[in-house]
Amino acid sequence: MITLAVETSCDETSVAVLEDGHRLRANLVASQIELHRTYGGVVPELACRKHSEVINALLQEAKTQSGVAWKDIGLVASTRGPGLVGALVVGMASAKALSLSLGVPLVGVNHLEGHVYANFLEHPELPFPILCLLVSGGHTILLWMESHGVYRTLGETRDDAAGEAFDKVARVLGLGYPGGPVVDRLAQAGRSTVPFPRALRGQPGYDFSFSGLKTAVLNFHRKDAGQTPMADVCASFQEAVVDALVMQVGRALEAERPATVVMAGGVACNSRLRQRMSERCSAAGVPLVFPSPAMCTDNAAMIACAGYHRYRSGQFDTLDLEVTPSLSL
């Protein structure tokens, strides 16, 4: 089974070709970071326009790089949400055109599910049940995955997502966009010396909150006037985020008893989070899996993998499928 997938939910245009759900034949990503850097965040209209400019060239290049012919493709998958509505429409329109012209099934994929399935690309036989920490620029969710396509939300952020907090704090500190990588890099040279707050500690449930932490960093930065080394401020902020994430995963580990813990999303690239989560899971005797850095950020390979598993379970869509910007998992 050859699956061709398209991902255009935000500011990366990506096309992938996947064989049998795990053998990656091509995965092309056209990033728009430089386009949006000037504005300190993604401008939806610019993102949509850029997707339209590059999508056809990426489709052709993915076919060439994968070594498959159009007639070899047996399934087309595309992100249907959540994301920017204009960006989603570009990818879905391309996927529908391919599905119709090739006469093959179409599967609409939840972008969040795609992030989860990035783990199955490199570890196809992960044992269930799975506890998944999904941390990205738009979402922070703790999921229980009973089997393929079966999810239960244990907790989620009540305000800002973890990745959103990284970007906003980086902007406050004058570190540029995107904020996650630069904060991580500076934090590695610093020490956690500032006692920033940890929200929801001691409260029941598995929810997260990062808005108060973001405000605390802003207030500290205004009063501190540069006296504290930037590396220490970044390390202190990052440690507060990681503490909150590891705390809730640790509580769920003890209460839910998963066979595997996985991380997904862009923030899963964070070096301190990987270190701390590895230590916590090792202490509990539960294996931890996370994708390679290239698979943590938005890409079509993860959409292809999720689409393949949906199709295998008998789920596919018709050409009247609509995108859903606020789609939940």
Side-chain angles (χ1 to χ4, degrees):
M1 167 64 80
I2 301 293
T3 303
L4 183 146
V6 179
E7 153 61 24
T8 59
S9 63
C10 191
D11 61 335
E12 272 97 14
T13 315
S14 183
V15 177
V17 177
L18 189 68
E19 181 180 346
D20 293 335
H22 64 88
R23 184 185 173 201
L24 194 57
R25 302 282 292 265
N27 186 38
L28 305 178
V29 180
S31 174
Q32 299 180 14
I33 287 179
E34 292 304 319
L35 176 65
H36 300 285
R37 192 186 301 277
T38 303
Y39 307 98
V42 178
V43 181
E45 293 83 358
L46 295 180
C48 178
R49 189 180 308 156
K50 196 64 177 178
H51 288 310
S52 300
E53 291 173 1
V54 304
I55 185 68
N56 286 339
L58 280 183
L59 286 166
Q60 185 62 47
E61 178 59 26
K63 184 182 83 70
T64 301
Q65 190 179 108
S66 66
V68 303
W70 291 120
K71 65 180 178 60
D72 298 327
I73 295 168
L75 177 67
V76 175
S78 182
T79 305
R80 62 169 300 195
L84 304 175
V85 62
L88 289 166
V89 165
V90 173
M92 184 59 73
S94 297
K96 287 180 178 181
L98 284 167
S99 172
L100 180 62
S101 62
L102 298 176
V104 300
L106 169 73
V107 177
V109 175
N110 188 306
H111 179 77
L112 305 181
E113 185 176 30
H115 276 302
V116 174
Y117 271 86
N119 289 283
F120 287 92
L121 281 168
E122 296 162 334
H123 307 276
E125 304 300 328
L126 286 176
F128 293 97
I130 293 171
L131 178 66
C132 176
L133 176 66
L134 174 55
V135 274
S136 67
H139 303 87
T140 300
I141 308 173
L142 193 58
L143 289 170
W144 183 259
M145 190 174 182
E146 196 67 42
S147 60
H148 284 296
V150 181
Y151 308 95
R152 175 164 56 95
T153 299
L154 299 180
E156 57 190 329
T157 183
R158 297 182 181 180
D159 38 62
D160 291 352
E164 182 182 2
F166 270 99
D167 284 340
K168 288 181 176 178
V169 164
R171 190 181 307 158
V172 164
L173 299 178
L175 301 178
Y177 171 85
V182 66
V183 170
D184 187 6
R185 185 173 65 252
L186 288 171
Q188 293 178 40
R191 297 179 301 130
S192 180
T193 59
V194 185
F196 290 130
R198 275 69 166 163
L200 306 182
R201 177 173 284 179
Q203 295 189 25
Y206 301 110
D207 282 353
F208 306 90
S209 174
F210 299 105
S211 180
L213 170 61
K214 176 192 66 180
T215 302
V217 176
L218 171 61
N219 292 336
F220 175 83
H221 182 62
R222 286 172 174 170
K223 295 176 181 177
D224 184 65
Q227 298 180 64
T228 304
M230 186 61 71
D232 289 357
V233 177
C234 288
S236 301
F237 161 73
Q238 179 172 272
E239 200 68 15
V241 174
V242 171
D243 272 351
L245 298 172
V246 173
M247 175 185 71
Q248 298 297 51
V249 169
R251 294 180 66 235
L253 264 172
E254 296 172 2
E256 305 290 339
R257 304 289 181 176
T260 313
V261 175
V262 304
M263 294 198 300
V267 182
C269 287
N270 183 272
S271 62
R272 183 59 173 160
L273 178 60
R274 290 190 175 208
Q275 177 190 352
R276 291 278 309 281
M277 201 67 75
S278 296
E279 293 169 354
R280 182 65 183 86
C281 290
S282 178
V286 178
L288 171 68
V289 172
F290 41 75
S292 59
M295 291 296 137
C296 286
T297 53
D298 293 351
N299 65 87
M302 67 185 193
I303 302 302
C305 186
Y308 168 82
H309 282 280
R310 280 205 165 273
Y311 181 71
R312 284 196 63 187
S313 68
Q315 301 178 59
F316 56 91
D317 297 288
T318 57
L319 293 177
D320 61 356
L321 176 67
E322 296 183 354
V323 299
T324 307
S326 57
L327 186 66
S328 60
L329 187 59

